[in-house]
Amino acid sequence: MKRNIVIAAVTAAALIGGGTATALATSGDDGGSARQAADTRPANDDDRDGPEARDDGDDDARAASSKVTASEAIASALKHTAGTAVSAELDDGDDSAKVVWQVEVLSGDSTWHSVSVDPADGRVLGAHADDEDDTAQVRAALKGSSVTAEEAAKAAAGKGVVTSVDLDEDGKGKSWEAETHKSGAEQDWKVDLKTGKVTADRADDQDDDDQD
């Protein structure tokens, strides 16, 4: 079967402030069809910074929009669903316009629940059962601990607005991990499971250096 290649060229000139134009080429079957797309935009600093910079801005806006703190969201979730909170995240993972706190709660021996909490007033919006395969690791990591996820979130709040807290049950350095936003900067922290001491997550910093 013959395939025809159609190349669409797009040019742009005399753009105010400067810009870029790109063309996409596609192939069609037999008679085929071609799609072309042009992207013309100012060559400003935000574009040079790329998608990661824009994502950071979204994270900052998300953090600023929540009137309910991470610890308050966890407390609300536990009032609704009894158990042990293992994580909380300010999230719009379902791609909806509404951002919510998602709190993971382990009830009984192995029953997981995902509880959605409104970041505006702390109301529980809903809950559903979740399937997780690391229940044994979580139980083992929490054995002998004295600091809850709610307490870890409160401790990390001294470093900025907490947007997530999660249990790191892997390896030897088991701890709570918290992410904060402050003055446009994102930082990851470790919270000791027994003392509640907050320290910078150097392993995360090293990972960023390796990627650079």
Side-chain angles (χ1 to χ4, degrees), residues 13-210:
L15 294 176
I16 299 175
T20 60
T22 60
L24 301 180
T26 59
S27 60
D29 292 336
D30 297 329
S33 63
R35 293 176 301 161
Q36 66 180 26
D39 180 15
T40 304
R41 60 185 184 276
N44 56 34
D45 291 341
D46 289 341
D47 289 331
R48 285 194 293 268
D49 289 341
E52 290 184 0
R54 288 190 289 274
D55 288 345
D56 288 343
D58 291 342
D59 289 343
D60 291 338
R62 189 178 300 132
S65 68
S66 179
K67 297 179 181 179
V68 175
T69 66
S71 60
E72 290 170 342
I74 293 171
S76 181
L78 291 178
K79 286 181 180 179
H80 180 275
T81 304
T84 301
V86 178
S87 71
E89 182 180 8
L90 192 58
D91 186 40
D92 58 355
D94 60 356
D95 294 327
S96 67
K98 187 174 181 61
V99 176
V100 298
W101 281 106
Q102 293 290 350
V103 182
E104 296 297 322
V105 178
L106 175 57
S107 301
D109 292 333
S110 59
T111 304
W112 288 86
H113 299 275
S114 181
V115 185
S116 300
V117 178
D118 195 315
D121 55 19
R123 290 184 301 112
V124 171
L125 302 174
H128 64 269
D130 252 354
D131 292 328
E132 299 288 348
D133 58 5
D134 59 348
T135 304
Q137 296 96 309
V138 168
R139 289 294 189 196
L142 290 175
K143 186 177 181 180
S145 67
S146 56
V147 176
T148 66
E150 182 180 352
E151 292 167 339
K154 287 181 180 179
K159 305 296 185 180
V161 178
V162 177
T163 53
S164 72
V165 59
D166 191 14
L167 178 66
D168 179 12
E169 73 274 15
D170 298 325
K172 295 181 179 179
K174 298 176 178 62
S175 64
W176 292 108
E177 292 183 332
E179 179 183 285
T180 62
H181 285 257
K182 185 177 182 179
S183 301
E186 176 186 312
Q187 179 67 52
D188 291 320
W189 306 90
K190 287 185 175 294
V191 183
D192 192 278
L193 288 170
K194 293 184 178 181
T195 67
K197 182 179 180 181
V198 180
T199 57
D201 189 348
R202 299 303 180 189
D204 184 77
D205 292 341
Q206 183 62 46
D207 289 341
D208 290 342
D209 292 340
D210 291 342

